[in-house]
Amino acid sequence: MTAKLPTMTYQERYNALLNKQPTDRIPFFHRGYGFCAKNTGFSIADIYEDPEKSYLAQSRTAEQFHSDGTPFYTFVSYGSWEFGGEIHWPVDRYASGPSVSKRPISKPEELDDLILPDPKTAGCVPKMMEFAKLQEKNNVQIAFICGSPFTHAANLCGVETFMKWMIKKPDAVHKAMRLMTDHIISVAQYFVDTFGEGKVLARSAAPSESNKLISPKHFETFALPYLKELHAKVLEIGVDRIYCHVCGEHNDNLPLWAEVPFGDPGMLSFGHEVSIEDAAKTFPNHIIAGNLDPQIIAKGTPEEVFEGSRKVIEDGMKFAPGRFLFMSGCEIPSNTPGYNIYMMQKAVEEFGWY
Amino acid sequence: MMDILKKIAESLMEFEPEDTIALVNEALASGIDAKTVLNEGLIKGMDIVGQLFKTNEIYVPEVTMAAECLQEALVVIKPLLKEEPSDVKVTVVIGTVEGDVHDIGKNLVAVMMEGAGFEVIDIGNNVLAQTFIDAAKEHNADIIACSALLTTTMAVMPEVAALAKNEKFEKDVKVLFGGAPIFEKWALENGADGYAEDASGAVQLVKDLVSRK
């Protein structure tokens, strides 16, 4: 087979995707935050703690694998440190991200004592802003963490406690959701004020709303109203669009997600649990990203990764032509063999041309 | 008698621990022995909870609350249980492995096992491989159950299995692996004596392994 050569740079491809213009091939994002650190000789803690090193690790890895993804800042366990909790940096042998060492609250009544933090100094936000200035300097997409409010609110007291409150203390859950939604809006405003309207992408992930944890009914009651409000509000104040990783098993939530605004077009990525066909049909106007099983990437043979990639790419091009981005279904582990990422790249460069 | 036991079983899904305890006390006061209350009331109730969870009729919030009802009732029941020669006591040491602080899955498995009448020693999360071994020795365990949510921390599980194989326990200790990223082939190839897909399956697996010993 004759290898095709790209006719667009990653920036041209990304812009074309957002502008609903044709691209030479499907965009590809290798994904894997800790992977980027290890791949380039940095520590896992560096990628969360040191924006300069984090940016370098991600941009070098993207260059290596011809990835269209640009560096971004994310923070596992967001919502705890920002409201006065304490975090533990991932310095231990197997740690993959910051973890919460002390929750801001443990009882519903303690919610009354929580106050909205100043977004300029709250938890990881200063590092996220420092990172965003690197994004601006390097002329790549500027982004900030925009939820999900449910996942972040659960980090105030811990997911298990939050789950119990959903049954026994629903008012406390709503109070926590209100607080977290208002906080995220304040962060969005801070970023729009700093970089200008239409310049900033909101990045969000929703693992704790997965149907592995909660029912669609609970999603509708506790998560959906705040998601709709938050997304509408941040778009209104000048955020360009919203990217959301609909993490894990969300099949029963999909019709409800369809009610949430994401911008035009928004971007949604899915885990391997949701088929690209279902995602593309549920969101006919948005960019669909996904969704090779990260287990295959991390533990599969190169042949399995290549074949799995081919299948996902073909589904994406069939069900979301012109608006599909190929990536892992979720974060890949830091110890994923680099050759398996190369297999994803190779599949894109063999099967992903329009 | 059956009526009150049925009410105890059903009460777990009412999510009111005080009501479950009241029913347990009522059953005990009526002369039903503690073991019958446990087996025919609470354990049957958790069996129902497990089945509803498996078929996606209930989710983690409901299971967590049912588990709270069970655990509070066990505080009342446990001191009243008398060991009999025919009793098969199963002790399980369970924890989430080093580097991993996710404990919802581990807690669900622990409570299902407790609900099945096993003695469960929960050693928490971010647990070093050697700590599993030390806890198993201290409690003379039959089973070591390791949980992980992250693919990065899966690597600790073979360490636990290897340490267990080299350790001289009083019993033939079996090691189980579980958690979202774990699959059967990997578990068995990396030293596990068994693998189960979910909490209910883990309970059955322990029963099977113990009965084969």
Side-chain angles (χ1 to χ4, degrees), chain B residues 32-203:
Chain B
I32 303 172
D33 66 274
K35 184 172 258 182
T36 305
V37 172
L38 175 67
N39 290 333
E40 302 301 320
L42 295 168
I43 291 179
K44 278 219 167 134
M46 275 318 279
D47 281 346
I48 297 166
V49 169
Q51 278 308 311
L52 292 171
F53 185 52
K54 194 170 186 162
T55 52
N56 290 341
E57 287 166 81
I58 60 172
Y59 294 80
V60 170
E62 293 83 359
V63 178
T64 309
M65 278 312 304
E68 191 166 305
C69 294
L70 170 74
Q71 282 166 328
E72 294 202 19
L74 285 176
V75 173
V76 176
I77 287 282
K78 272 188 175 172
L80 305 174
L81 293 172
K82 292 176 192 141
E83 275 193 38
E84 292 169 20
S86 60
D87 285 349
V88 180
K89 191 181 166 206
V90 179
T91 303
V92 179
V93 163
I94 188 168
T96 305
V97 297
E98 181 191 352
D100 207 325
V101 294
H102 298 89
D103 57 7
I104 290 181
K106 181 263 294 172
N107 292 349
L108 286 179
V109 172
V111 80
M112 288 291 184
M113 288 186 172
E114 209 164 13
F118 307 159
E119 182 73 26
V120 177
I121 314 296
D122 186 343
I123 52 175
N125 58 38
N126 195 14
V127 177
L128 298 173
Q130 185 61 46
T131 308
F132 280 93
I133 307 303
D134 296 343
K137 283 178 86 171
E138 182 188 344
H139 297 282
N140 197 19
D142 302 274
I143 302 286
I144 295 173
C146 309
S147 173
L149 182 75
L150 305 172
T151 39
T152 43
T153 57
M154 286 166 69
V156 183
M157 292 179 163
E159 289 181 21
V160 178
L163 286 172
K165 297 286 179 279
N166 290 329
E167 189 61 55
K168 286 191 174 69
F169 293 111
E170 283 181 35
K171 293 177 179 172
D172 176 18
V173 177
K174 302 292 185 191
V175 180
L176 312 184
F177 298 167
I182 315 299
F183 49 99
E184 186 165 23
K185 182 171 175 278
W186 184 87
L188 298 180
E189 282 177 0
N190 284 278
D193 295 298
Y195 161 85
E197 248 186 22
D198 52 35
S200 306
V203 170

Side-chain angles (χ1 to χ4, degrees), chain A residues 113-232:
Chain A
D113 300 328
L114 287 185
I115 51 164
L116 269 182
D118 179 350
K120 291 177 182 157
T121 55
C124 77
V125 179
K127 288 186 188 298
M128 185 161 72
M129 177 55 78
E130 193 181 333
F131 196 98
K133 289 184 174 163
L134 289 171
Q135 291 171 318
E136 183 184 44
K137 185 176 147 194
N138 288 282
N139 198 28
V140 300
Q141 178 71 66
I142 300 164
F144 72 100
I145 300 169
C146 184
S148 75
F150 183 88
T151 291
H152 292 174
N155 285 333
L156 289 170
C157 58
V159 178
E160 194 167 348
T161 302
F162 204 64
M163 299 272 145
K164 287 184 187 174
W165 291 359
M166 288 166 70
I167 303 277
K168 299 294 288 181
K169 304 279 182 190
D171 290 348
V173 175
H174 284 296
K175 198 178 276 187
M177 292 296 298
R178 177 76 270 139
L179 208 55
M180 194 56 73
T181 304
D182 289 344
H183 164 64
I184 300 168
I185 291 169
S186 74
V187 174
Q189 189 67 63
Y190 174 39
F191 273 69
V192 170
D193 290 347
T194 305
F195 299 105
E197 288 187 20
K199 301 282 188 195
V200 180
L201 172 76
R203 296 183 58 96
S204 164
S208 298
E209 294 91 324
S210 145
N211 297 136
K212 279 279 183 197
L213 293 177
I214 67 169
S215 65
K217 186 73 198 155
H218 274 158
F219 177 81
E220 186 174 18
T221 305
F222 293 111
L224 184 64
Y226 300 94
L227 265 174
K228 287 163 77 171
E229 179 196 328
L230 173 69
H231 286 202

Side-chain angles (χ1 to χ4, degrees), chain A residues 8 21 28 41 60 62-63 92 96 100 103 110 130-131 186 188 239 246 249-250 259 265 278 281 350:
Chain A
M8 300 175 111
Q21 299 295 315
F28 161 56
R60 284 176 176 170
E63 178 193 3
D92 307 325
S96 56
V100 180
R103 303 273 173 200
E110 290 168 349
E130 193 181 333
F131 196 98
S186 74
V239 165
V246 182
E249 169 57 84
H250 273 270
E259 298 175 21
D278 287 345
K281 285 180 178 166
E350 191 149 337

Side-chain angles (χ1 to χ4, degrees), chain A residues 47-58:
Chain A
I47 205 155
Y48 291 96
E49 226 180 338
D50 187 326
E52 292 265 3
K53 288 179 181 171
S54 182
Y55 190 93
L56 209 51
Q58 293 182 66

Side-chain angles (χ1 to χ4, degrees), chain A residues 277-295:
Chain A
E277 181 178 4
D278 287 345
K281 285 180 178 166
T282 307
F283 304 96
N285 300 314
H286 293 313
I287 295 161
I288 302 297
N291 69 349
L292 182 61
D293 184 349
Q295 274 295 80

Side-chain angles (χ1 to χ4, degrees), chain A residues 7-8 12-18 21-27 322-324 352-354:
Chain A
T7 57
M8 300 175 111
E12 288 167 345
R13 197 174 292 121
Y14 179 72
N15 289 340
L17 182 74
L18 297 186
Q21 299 295 315
T23 56
D24 55 349
R25 63 158 169 81
I26 56 165
R323 59 184 181 98
F324 176 67
W353 301 99
Y354 283 115

